Amino acid sequence: MVTFLPARPGRLADVPSFDRTIGGAESNVACALAAFGHTARWIGRVGTDGFGDHLVERIAGYGVDVTAVRRDPARPTGVYFRTAGDRGTGAHEVAYYRAGSAASAMSVTGVDLTAARAARVLHLTGITAALSAGCRTLLHTLTAPVPGRPLVSFDVNHRPALWADDEGPRVLLDLARRADVVFVGADEAEQAWGVTGGPEAVRRLLPEPNVLVVKEGARGATAFAAGSRASGAAPVPEGGGTPSAPGRAAGPRPTAAPSAFEPALHAAVVATTGAGDAFAAGFLSATLRGLPLRTRLRHGHLFAAAALATPGDLAPPPARDHADRLAALGDDAWGRLRLGPGWTQAEQAHEQAHEEANTP
């Protein structure tokens, strides 16, 4: 979608102007992964309008492959407006204009399934499932437990305002149970499925995914993994190769504790929108690199901290070397870490100055 951010705080009825940017759960993840040095492809559908041009050009600007994006001459590109207030407050407003959009027309026949299945990791979200019956069928097809499918990552992303009926919770639970890696907020699990009792209760509801990540906002996140496959799916080499989907084909996997908790960072918060997508990107990045389960959670927190410090849905992640250094801190140092506004840019500027000072 094209996202319109308010020029100042206040009700949508009172805000006089908005700044245009881009948003969208799956494209946010793709852009963050590409900016971090991974190969990423975004598969979507936009209109043949100026907003569609803007989306495709901006996403490609992050280094994402957009060759599988299809243009729809009969439907517009989706847009949404939101207030500057935090999503967790009663003053927060979001106005979606997605009904009849090009994205809502995605279907099994209207998407390049070959391109989707060629990925090493296929990331999906519950937002797409909410857009239409065709989108729902598409996600059901992509999550089917067939031999050789990519590692399927699914972010529940429960957004009640997007569902035209009360089937959302059931559909999301079914999709989560078919995925290999699942991200869900404890608050989402309670709202959608009535689950209380913390991450362990969510795991009891969702024992099927090989890796389940339960996010608890400012407290932190817990990751559960299946038995000896505790560190998650088999590491995917950067140079290529397709991971075996857990439970579908044999393959070596590292062993670690069956669960891990990592506290969230103390970070500057400008807006929370997009932080969940950034967390998923950080966790998946570390998964692709075969890092331990706790380190995957830390990379998720670092990516989320970068997003929290910006007003838009999307923020460049920290440089890889910087993220690796921070993720390797001891527990006490991690707990004391404070990340202020612009912390990723400040580190990049410091490294550039260091390189220039040491260049003959």
Side-chain angles (χ1 to χ4, degrees), residues 4-290:
F4 288 93
L5 305 179
R8 64 173 176 80
R11 301 184 311 153
L12 287 179
D14 300 329
V15 175
S17 60
F18 295 81
D19 295 320
R20 182 187 64 177
T21 181
I22 64 173
E26 296 88 348
S27 60
N28 286 346
V29 171
C31 289
L33 285 169
F36 201 65
H38 296 282
T39 299
R41 171 188 293 135
W42 178 59
I43 299 173
R45 192 177 184 92
V46 299
T48 55
D49 48 30
F51 287 155
D53 294 341
H54 177 66
L55 276 174
V56 174
E57 291 167 5
R58 283 289 307 277
I59 292 170
Y62 279 88
V64 177
D65 179 352
V66 295
T67 56
V69 176
R70 296 190 176 177
R71 309 297 296 264
D72 190 329
R75 299 174 180 86
T77 302
V79 301
Y80 90 107
F81 297 77
R82 67 174 174 86
T83 55
D86 184 7
R87 179 180 283 137
T89 71
H92 182 73
E93 296 175 76
V94 176
Y96 291 104
Y97 296 92
R98 306 185 73 164
S101 68
S104 71
M106 288 191 294
S107 66
V108 173
T109 58
V111 164
D112 189 341
L113 298 182
T114 300
R117 289 168 173 156
R120 293 173 287 155
V121 174
L122 174 61
H123 182 68
L124 309 168
T125 82
I127 291 178
T128 296
L131 298 182
S132 67
C135 288
R136 207 171 304 178
T137 300
L138 172 63
L139 263 63
H140 195 265
T141 299
L142 290 172
T143 57
V146 297
R149 81 174 193 187
L151 190 78
V152 174
S153 166
F154 181 68
D155 193 337
V156 172
N157 258 330
H158 179 46
R159 299 288 184 269
L162 290 177
W163 290 90
D165 52 39
D166 58 2
E167 286 294 294
R170 181 192 63 78
V171 172
L172 296 174
L173 185 60
D174 177 59
L175 290 170
R177 286 174 168 164
R178 294 157 67 93
D180 302 307
V181 180
V182 172
F183 301 93
V184 63
D187 55 344
E188 289 180 304
E190 180 176 1
Q191 184 182 40
W193 306 315
V195 177
T196 59
E200 291 77 12
V202 181
R203 183 55 163 171
R204 287 193 293 272
L205 178 70
L206 283 170
E208 297 88 355
N210 191 57
V211 176
L212 171 68
V213 180
V214 182
K215 299 172 291 182
E216 297 181 89
R219 179 175 181 270
T222 300
F224 299 92
S228 62
R229 302 180 191 137
S231 63
V236 185
E238 288 289 340
T242 302
S244 299
R248 296 171 180 83
R253 296 179 178 90
T255 301
S259 66
F261 169 79
E262 281 297 319
L265 290 162
H266 299 278
V269 178
V270 175
T272 59
T273 305
D277 302 328
F279 182 97
F283 189 93
L284 291 175
S285 168
T287 298
L288 286 165
R289 299 169 65 196

Side-chain angles (χ1 to χ4, degrees), residues 250-353:
R253 296 179 178 90
T255 301
S259 66
F261 169 79
E262 281 297 319
L265 290 162
H266 299 278
V269 178
V270 175
T272 59
T273 305
D277 302 328
F279 182 97
F283 189 93
L284 291 175
S285 168
T287 298
L288 286 165
R289 299 169 65 196
L291 301 180
L293 193 62
R294 286 189 64 191
T295 308
R296 299 180 190 192
L297 287 170
R298 286 194 172 188
H299 276 269
H301 287 316
L302 287 165
F303 276 49
L308 288 170
T310 62
D313 288 23
L314 181 61
R320 185 174 293 203
D321 289 347
H322 188 201
D324 285 344
R325 288 197 303 271
L326 295 179
L329 291 172
D331 290 347
D332 289 343
W334 177 265
R336 294 193 303 269
L337 191 61
R338 299 292 188 274
L339 300 174
W343 65 274
T344 57
Q345 292 82 3
E347 173 63 19
Q348 291 164 6
H350 173 76
E351 291 183 352
Q352 182 179 357

